[in-house]
């Protein structure tokens, strides 16, 4: 299988790009320059695809530090990221190296497959703060802090298109199990903040499906419901050191890979022992969007 980067123009100024690992990033092109929001896993030549779409100078902006959003950054000289989410490069490169071998085996990738972490070098970083604006000429990208998935997560509002590029701020199986994830209550505050943004669509890091602001109420309901749910132990298959407590609000039979699925994985809860002995309630699950 070839590690191609697929691209689709989804708005007059916005292209959605996808890699074979199921990740998404977005290219926003104005009249004078372009912005690339996230860089996916680094499998496939992202920079070549960006340069095929536009010859404008490109500013790279990252929503957060996880390997499936920063892996392709090694193909670019510099990237913008929040100061809180900067400094995790070595950890994410180690994770990407493990995922790389899984991709080689799982997709039967041939020798010579492009991986940016092998072909490029770690970019320099500069820090993006809430309210940062990038004038592209005829379109503007504005940064908004969206703590939850990571404490330093950022989203980017494409003002003219009224679109929020949200990274992993909301996903059908929301993941708050990382060391630097916020509490569920802090994520609820971010959902309320997102609901007040002047956007008509929300584009995420792992789905072609576009969500709308009205969908945020379902995530809020799930967050509040999870606080009274016992949950079950969860472990990531690809990176088994990642563990959490899984709460599934969707009914049985709803496809976990569908945009309609609603679940949340928070940090592991302390195990409670009873006099009747231990009862196994956990189950292994597939990789959640990171």
């Amino acid at each position: 299988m070839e590690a191609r980067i697929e691209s689709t123009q989804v708005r007059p100024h916005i292209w959605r790009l996808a890699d074979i690992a199921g990740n998404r990033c977005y290219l926003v092109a104005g009249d004078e320059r372009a912005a690339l929001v996230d860089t996916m896993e680094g499998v496939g030549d992202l920079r070549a695809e960006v340069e095929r779409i536009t010859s404008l100078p490109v500013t790279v902006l990252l929503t957060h530090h996880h390997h499936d959003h920063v892996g392709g950054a090694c193909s670019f000289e510099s990237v913008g990221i929040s100061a809180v989410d900067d400094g995790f490069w070595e950890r994410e490169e180690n994770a990407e190296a493990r995922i790389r071998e899984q991709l080689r085996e799982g997709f039967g990738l041939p020798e010579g497959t492009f991986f940016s972490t092998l072909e490029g070098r770690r970019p320099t970083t500069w820090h993006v703060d809430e309210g940062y604006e990038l004038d592209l000429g005829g379109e503007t990208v504005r940064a908004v802090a969206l703590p939850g998935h990571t404490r330093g997560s950022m989203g980017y509002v494409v003002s003219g298109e009224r679109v929020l590029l949200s990274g992993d701020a909301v996903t059908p199986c929301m993941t708050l199990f990382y060391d630097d994830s916020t509490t569920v209550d802090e994520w609820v505050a971010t959902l309320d903040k997102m609901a007040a943004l002047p956007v008509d669509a929300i584009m995420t890091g792992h789905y072609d499906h576009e969500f709308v602001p009205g969908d945020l109420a379902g995530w809020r309901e799930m967050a509040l419901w999870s606080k009274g749910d016992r949950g079950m132990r969860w472990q990531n298959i690809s990176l088994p050191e990642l563990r959490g407590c899984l709460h599934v609000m969707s009914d049985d039979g709803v496809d976990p890979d569908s945009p309609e699925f609603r679940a949340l994985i928070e940090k592991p809860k302390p195990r409670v022992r009873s006099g009747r002995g231990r009862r196994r309630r956990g189950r292994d699950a597939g990789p959640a969007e990171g």
Side-chain angles (χ1 to χ4, degrees), residues 22 91 237 285:
R91 188 175 85 178
I237 290 175

mmCIF file of all heavy atoms in Angstrom, residues 22 91 237 285:
data_model
loop_
_atom_site.group_PDB
_atom_site.id
_atom_site.type_symbol
_atom_site.label_atom_id
_atom_site.label_comp_id
_atom_site.label_asym_id
_atom_site.label_seq_id
_atom_site.Cartn_x
_atom_site.Cartn_y
_atom_site.Cartn_z
ATOM 1 N N GLY A 22 -5.608 7.527 9.431
ATOM 2 C CA GLY A 22 -6.898 8.043 9.872
ATOM 3 C C GLY A 22 -6.857 9.418 10.495
ATOM 4 O O GLY A 22 -7.829 9.842 11.126
ATOM 5 N N ARG A 91 9.165 12.818 23.702
ATOM 6 C CA ARG A 91 8.163 11.803 24.040
ATOM 7 C C ARG A 91 7.304 11.449 22.837
ATOM 8 O O ARG A 91 7.040 10.264 22.570
ATOM 9 C CB ARG A 91 7.281 12.309 25.185
ATOM 10 C CG ARG A 91 6.341 11.246 25.728
ATOM 11 C CD ARG A 91 5.580 11.747 26.928
ATOM 12 N NE ARG A 91 4.386 12.494 26.529
ATOM 13 C CZ ARG A 91 3.519 13.010 27.396
ATOM 14 N NH1 ARG A 91 3.744 12.892 28.698
ATOM 15 N NH2 ARG A 91 2.453 13.656 26.983
ATOM 16 N N ILE A 237 -4.436 -0.151 22.687
ATOM 17 C CA ILE A 237 -3.751 -1.286 22.071
ATOM 18 C C ILE A 237 -2.400 -0.867 21.492
ATOM 19 O O ILE A 237 -1.394 -1.555 21.677
ATOM 20 C CB ILE A 237 -4.636 -1.918 20.976
ATOM 21 C CG1 ILE A 237 -5.839 -2.620 21.612
ATOM 22 C CG2 ILE A 237 -3.832 -2.903 20.133
ATOM 23 C CD1 ILE A 237 -6.827 -3.173 20.615
ATOM 24 N N ALA A 285 -9.548 -1.953 24.712
ATOM 25 C CA ALA A 285 -10.189 -1.229 23.631
ATOM 26 C C ALA A 285 -9.151 -0.807 22.638
ATOM 27 O O ALA A 285 -7.958 -0.815 22.912
ATOM 28 C CB ALA A 285 -10.920 0.001 24.192
#
